[in-house]
Amino acid sequence: MTIQRSLGNRTAEQRILLYLGINCTQLEEYQAGRAYQLAALNLLSVTGNRPLEMRIVGGLGYTLSMLGDYQAALEYLMSARRISQEIQWRLQESYTLHNLCCLQRKLGNFDLAVEYGQESLRVALQQASEDAANWARFHLGYALLARGDLAQAWQTFQQAQASWQAAGRLKQARWATAGMAATLCQQGKVPEATTLVAPIIPSLLEQVPQGEEVYEMYLTCHAILTANGDMRDDT
């Protein structure tokens, strides 16, 4: 980054700051991630790079949501969506929409969360991106679950799980499986939910939880183990 700055390549410097921010956020170093992304945003007046602006603003929205600053996160994510529409980057709009879906669910606005999730899925399918579609399905599934639409939640999680499994993305498939189990648990079908999460639990006991999707999986398994009186939930 110092080299890029000395060469006057501010766009490259801005991109490096963005990637440093994303990396810190993925490692759950959210304050550092926020700092890097704000530094990248401050270069906007120099670079004027709108695609980078959209990614930085969207990244800040996600990072701030993980820090619990939901109002600021909402403002950044709404800005990211607006920019993605202005520059016609529809695929990135789908990813922003699924983050809005997740955020609105945290805020308790379940109807709005479902709307964002459905729109994210619609845009992803229009762009023929199965990856974006599966992320949309995953977050939409939890929004539907929160709203009590259990049959739709199950179907949505199941679609994501089958697609990720077929693509060899086994980690993501486990996340969707946990969503299916959470749906069964909410229906009172604890034995069936237990059967679904049984293959997941050994890996959970050997890793530190990182990321929102993994936390959802931990919470689901904890609820199911607790319902079964299994003392492993204490770990």
Side-chain angles (χ1 to χ4, degrees):
M1 187 168 64
T2 302
I3 294 173
Q4 298 300 334
R5 185 181 297 130
S6 67
L7 293 173
N9 193 340
R10 307 312 296 274
T11 298
E13 179 186 350
Q14 188 179 38
R15 187 175 286 110
I16 291 169
L17 286 166
L18 167 63
Y19 292 152
L20 286 169
I22 291 172
N23 185 62
C24 286
T25 295
Q26 289 176 339
L27 294 173
E28 298 189 332
E29 298 172 3
Y30 298 121
Q31 293 290 356
R34 174 180 175 274
Y36 279 123
Q37 289 172 98
L38 284 173
L41 190 62
N42 286 337
L43 289 175
L44 182 63
S45 61
V46 178
T47 67
N49 190 311
R50 300 221 75 201
L52 268 180
E53 178 189 10
M54 201 239 65
R55 293 195 63 195
I56 294 164
V57 171
L60 274 167
Y62 176 79
T63 300
L64 289 169
S65 73
M66 297 304 289
L67 286 168
D69 191 349
Y70 295 152
Q71 187 55 48
L74 180 59
E75 292 172 7
Y76 276 115
L77 288 172
M78 292 300 292
S79 179
R81 186 190 184 191
R82 174 180 54 77
I83 296 167
S84 69
Q85 291 174 331
E86 290 172 356
I87 65 176
Q88 298 183 19
W89 195 356
R90 299 304 309 284
L91 183 58
Q92 197 61 40
E93 182 185 0
S94 175
Y95 288 113
T96 301
L97 283 163
H98 83 229
N99 283 329
L100 281 166
C101 169
C102 182
L103 179 57
Q104 291 295 348
R105 175 171 63 87
K106 290 178 179 179
L107 290 168
N109 301 323
F110 303 139
D111 289 340
L112 188 54
V114 169
E115 288 179 21
Y116 280 133
Q118 290 172 336
E119 179 67 6
S120 176
L121 179 57
R122 185 182 69 80
V123 173
L125 292 174
Q126 285 179 345
Q127 297 300 302
S129 173
E130 191 64 13
D131 181 65
N134 285 333
W135 281 109
R137 291 176 181 123
F138 177 80
H139 289 289
L140 174 58
Y142 275 107
L144 290 164
L145 183 61
R147 196 170 72 171
D149 296 336
L150 304 185
Q152 290 184 56
W154 169 269
Q155 182 181 34
T156 304
F157 283 129
Q158 190 176 46
Q159 288 174 341
Q161 192 275 343
S163 180
W164 270 329
Q165 187 82 24
R169 302 191 67 180
L170 303 184
K171 178 174 69 175
Q172 288 81 1
R174 287 195 295 269
W175 297 344
T177 298
M180 294 164 63
T183 305
L184 289 172
C185 195
Q186 195 159 315
Q187 291 173 322
K189 300 177 180 178
V190 176
E192 294 92 331
T194 304
T195 299
L196 268 184
V197 299
I200 297 174
I201 290 172
S203 66
L204 295 184
L205 297 174
E206 297 171 359
Q207 62 177 310
V208 176
Q210 283 187 336
E212 192 158 10
E213 299 80 16
V214 180
Y215 278 118
E216 296 284 6
M217 186 164 60
Y218 268 81
L219 289 171
T220 295
C221 291
H222 179 273
I224 293 169
L225 290 173
T226 299
N228 283 319
D230 190 324
M231 295 307 294
R232 283 179 296 177
D233 73 297
D234 291 334
T235 62

